Amino acid sequence: MILAQPCAGQAAPRAAGELAWTIGYDPKTFDPAKVDDQESELVRYLTAGVLLRFNRSTQKIEPKLAESWNLSSDGRTLTFQLRSGLQFSDGSALTSRDAAWSIRRVLLPATGAPVAQEFLSPGGVTVETPDDQTVVVRLPQRVIGIGKVFDEIAIEPAGHPSEGRITAGPFVVADYRRSQYVRLRRNAHYQERDAAGTALPYAAGVRLDILDNPEQEARLFQRGEYDIINGLPPDYFELLKRRLPSSVRDLGPSLNTEQMWFNQASSSPLPAWEKTWFQNRDFRVAVSQAIHRADLARIAYEGHATPAYSFISPANRAWYDSGISAPHEDVAAAEAKLASVGFHLRGSILEDASGRAVRFSILTNAGNAARLKMATLIQQDLAALGMQVTVVALDFPALIERLMHTQDYQACLLGLENVDPDPNAMINIWLSSSPNHQWSPSEKTPATPWEAEIDRAMNQQAGTSNEAQRKLAVDRVQQIVADQQPFIYLVYPNALYAVSPRLRGAQPTVLEPGLVWNIERLRLQEAR
Amino acid sequence: MKLVGDLLKRFTRMLAIVLLVVIGSTVLVRFAPGYFSDVREMDPRYARSARAELSVESARSNAIIPLLSAEVGGWLRGNAGISRQYDVPVLDLILPRLAVTGSLMLRSIALAWTLALCASLLSSAGPHPSLLWQMPATLLLAIPTAAMATMCLLAGSGGPVLVMSLLLAARDFKFLDRILRKTWLDPHLLYARTQGIGVTRLIRAHILPSIASQLSALATLSIVTALGALAPVEVIFNVPGVGQLAWSAALNRDLPVLLTVTMLMALAVTFAGVISDRPAEWKNA
C-alpha cells in the first residue's frame, strides 16, 4: 500500500462542477483592497463585484455592478448608476452606500491599498451618494484610464470587509489551506445571467491548487485533475502537444517582453571604463545588432516567441508602432559601429581604445530554462564580436539586490509582464526619476538628453485624454528606445495555454488573467 | 546518579548545539544576498508596497543582536515569531506541517528498515558479498534524491514514501549487511549453527540483541538522512510538509521560519543521537 501511494500533494477531491487549476504561491491577502501580488489579484478577479470591468477580449470598459457610468468632459467627475436589485453573496442588498464605502476605504492611507496610487492624489478624491443607486466620484485632477481603476476596486458590504467571504462577484472564498489550495464557491446571488436567462456563473466552484512545479502541473493536467494551465512554459507546451494535441493553444505574441540591458547608472560600483562602454549608444546598438533574435525564439522558446524590437508588442494593436526603425541583426554593421568608437580586435578578443578586453557578465534568474538558453545564445552571438560574456544565474532575491540596491552588475536579462495594454501603466519604467528605471534608477535629473525627451513624452501622454496626441507621444518614446537601446528587446514570448477538452466557453486572451477572464461562462461538460 | 549526571550533561550539550544553530542560522540568513529585497520591487504595480515592507524589515533587522533577541522573543511569546513571507505566526505554519512530515518520515523509515533488514539477512547468509544485492544499493545511493523523485514524477508512479524509502534502504542495507556478515561469523553463532539451532531463533535470540546498539546508531543515521532528503522530496512531490516550507522560506529569506525549522531539525538530530547512545551505555552499566 505504501509502495502504491500516488504522488502526494493533491488537494481534496474535486467537487462536482468545480473548475481546478494552479497558482504558483499562496495569495498574500484575501482583502481585495490590499492586493499587492499576482495571485491575490487573481482571487480578487474571481470574487470581486466591481462597478466596471475591463473586458480582456474587447479591451473595452464594460459596466458590471454599475448599469451605466459617465465621465464629465473635464475628466474629473465620474457618475455611476447602479443596477437595481443588487445583492451580496449573503443575500443583503448592495446600495450606493456600500460602493461609496468601498471606494473611500481604498483611498484611505490607513488601508494602504496599492490601487489608491492610481488616483494620483487619492487624498483629494471625494465620493458622494445622492441616492441609493447613484455614486459620484470627484477627482482633483484628470487620471488617464480612470475607468480601469474601478476594475480593481471590489465593492464590499459597508463597514464589514470580509476578505472575500461576502462578495458581489461570481465566487466567494469558501476555504483556504495554506500551501495547498484556495477553494471558491459559486455566489448564488450573482446578478448576471446569460442570454437564455440562466444564472451565472455556470461552475459550482473553483479550486486553485498552490503548486509551483510545472512537471507536476502538466502531469495532473493530463490526468484530468486540472482544467487549465495558464502561461504554459514552451517545453511543456510541446510535451502536451504530443500527448493531447487538441488541448494546447498558442495565441501568438503576448504583451510580455524579454529584454537585456546594461547598467548605465553613474552611481554603480563598476569601473569607469565599463560605465563608458555601457553608456555608449554605439556599443549598445552593436550588441543589439549582433543578437540573432530569430534563433532565440526558435531555440529557447521552441518557436513559441516572436523577435522583439520595441517595448510594445504587436499583440497590443492600439499602441504598437510598426513603423519604428530599430537596429536589426547585422554583425558586419555591429563590427563597423564598434570600430567607429575605438573598439578593435586583438586576436579574437575585442578591446576598447585603451586596450582593455571587453568582458562582462549577464545576470539572469535561475530556474527559468528559456531565459538561461537565451543568455547562452547571446553569449555565443557576442563572442562573434570578440566580447567575452559570462552568464550568471542567481536566485531572485540575490538578483534583485544587485539590480535594485547595490547596482553591482554589468548586464541583466529579464522579462517584463505587461498586464495593461495602456503604455501609461509602464510610466514608472520610463521616467528617469523612478526606481524602476532599470538601466539607471532614480536619476535626480535625466542623465542624457534622450532620457529627458522620454520623460517629456511620457508626461505628455499622461496629461492628455486626446488619444491621437497620446499615441504620437508613445510612438516617440518607442522610436527613442529603438535608437538608444537602453533595453535591448529580444523576444515577445507567445501566450501559451492548455485547456481541458471538457472545458466549455474558453476564449483565451493575451491579457491577464488569460484563460479565466470570462470565468462566469466557463463550465465543465458534465456540469450541464 | 552517574546516569542522571550523564543525561544532564547530554541535555546541556544538546541545548548548546541548538543555541549555536540559532545564532549560526540567524547570521547566515541575515547576511545572505537578497535579504533586503523583494521580487515585487521589479513590478511597478507592487513596487511601492514592497519597498514599504522592506523598510520595516530593514529597521527590524539592521543589527544582529536586536534581531536575535526579537526572534528569541517570538519563541518566548509562544508563536515562534511572525513569518516574513506569510505574515502569520510561524507556529501556525509549522504545526499542521509537522504531522505531514512526521507521517512521511515514519512510513519511509519503517519501509526502508523492512526492505534493508530483509535484503541484508538474505545477503549476509551467503559466503561472500553478492553483486545481486550490492549493485542496486550502490546505484540507488549514486542517484541524487531530487533526480529519483523527478523520475518517479515523470513516470507517474511511486511517491515520496517510495523515494525516501529507497534512499534510506540503500544506505541502511550497506551497514546492516556489513554488521550481519560479521555477526554470522562470531564463534558462538558458528557453534550454535553446528548444534542445529534454527535461523529464526538465532536471529531473534542472538543476532538482534548483539547488534542492538549498532542498530540504534543506524536509526539515528536514518533520521538524519531522511531529514536531509525531506526538502527536495517534499518540493518535487508538492507535499505540504516542513521541508517544502523550509525550501520556500529559504527562497524568500524568511528568517523566522528558517530559524524554527533549523532548530527543530537540530533538536531532532541531537535527541536521536542521545537516544541512540543510551543502549550501549545502559548495557555497559
Side-chain angles (χ1 to χ4, degrees), chain B residues 105-255:
Chain B
M105 280 185 62
L106 272 177
R107 283 182 295 157
S108 306
I109 291 174
L111 181 61
W113 273 74
T114 311
L115 287 174
L117 261 174
C118 293
S120 52
L121 281 170
L122 288 172
S123 158
S124 60
H128 303 291
S130 161
L131 273 182
L132 178 74
W133 298 103
Q134 299 291 334
M135 276 281 284
T138 310
L139 195 66
L140 283 171
L141 282 176
I143 303 174
T145 316
M148 206 192 301
T150 307
M151 281 192 296
C152 278
L153 193 68
L154 292 176
S157 62
V161 176
L162 181 68
V163 170
M164 296 258 292
S165 305
L166 288 179
L167 171 79
L168 295 173
R171 182 154 298 181
D172 292 344
F173 168 78
K174 288 273 184 189
F175 287 99
L176 282 171
D177 184 57
R178 210 172 303 145
I179 296 167
L180 287 172
R181 198 170 287 285
K182 195 163 160 273
T183 312
W184 277 118
L185 298 176
D186 281 350
H188 72 285
L189 277 177
L190 287 174
Y191 178 74
R193 286 166 83 178
T194 57
Q195 295 301 306
I197 298 175
V199 173
T200 317
R201 191 172 156 207
L202 276 179
I203 291 171
R204 186 166 40 80
H206 296 278
I207 295 181
L208 287 180
S210 71
I211 63 169
S213 59
Q214 287 152 302
L215 290 185
S216 147
L218 194 55
T220 309
L221 185 65
S222 287
I223 292 172
V224 175
T225 311
L227 286 174
L230 263 183
V233 167
E234 288 192 350
V235 167
I236 290 168
F237 287 109
N238 199 34
V239 179
V242 176
Q244 190 199 48
L245 180 69
W247 176 257
S248 151
L251 289 183
N252 292 287
R253 313 293 195 260
D254 192 343
L255 177 62

Side-chain angles (χ1 to χ4, degrees), chain A residues 12 221 256 355 387-388 447 480 503:
Chain A
F221 175 82
N256 303 338
M387 296 181 183
Q388 295 168 294
I480 296 170
L503 191 72

Side-chain angles (χ1 to χ4, degrees), chain A residues 3 8 36 41 179 216 397 436, chain B residues 37 40 46 97 153 162 237:
Chain A
L3 279 171
D36 64 356
E41 198 167 305
S179 304
Q216 179 97 296
N436 288 95
Chain B
S37 66
R40 293 172 304 151
Y46 310 130
R97 289 166 177 269
L153 193 68
L162 181 68
F237 287 109

Side-chain angles (χ1 to χ4, degrees), chain A residues 365-407:
Chain A
N365 63 307
N368 185 319
R371 218 166 263 164
L372 282 171
K373 281 184 203 166
M374 278 204 296
T376 311
L377 291 168
I378 291 171
Q379 187 182 34
Q380 285 173 11
D381 287 341
L382 298 187
L385 294 180
M387 296 181 183
Q388 295 168 294
V389 177
T390 317
V391 177
V392 180
L394 298 175
D395 74 343
F396 250 122
L399 177 68
I400 288 161
E401 183 173 278
R402 297 261 205 119
L403 298 183
M404 306 294 290
H405 301 288
T406 64
Q407 290 170 356

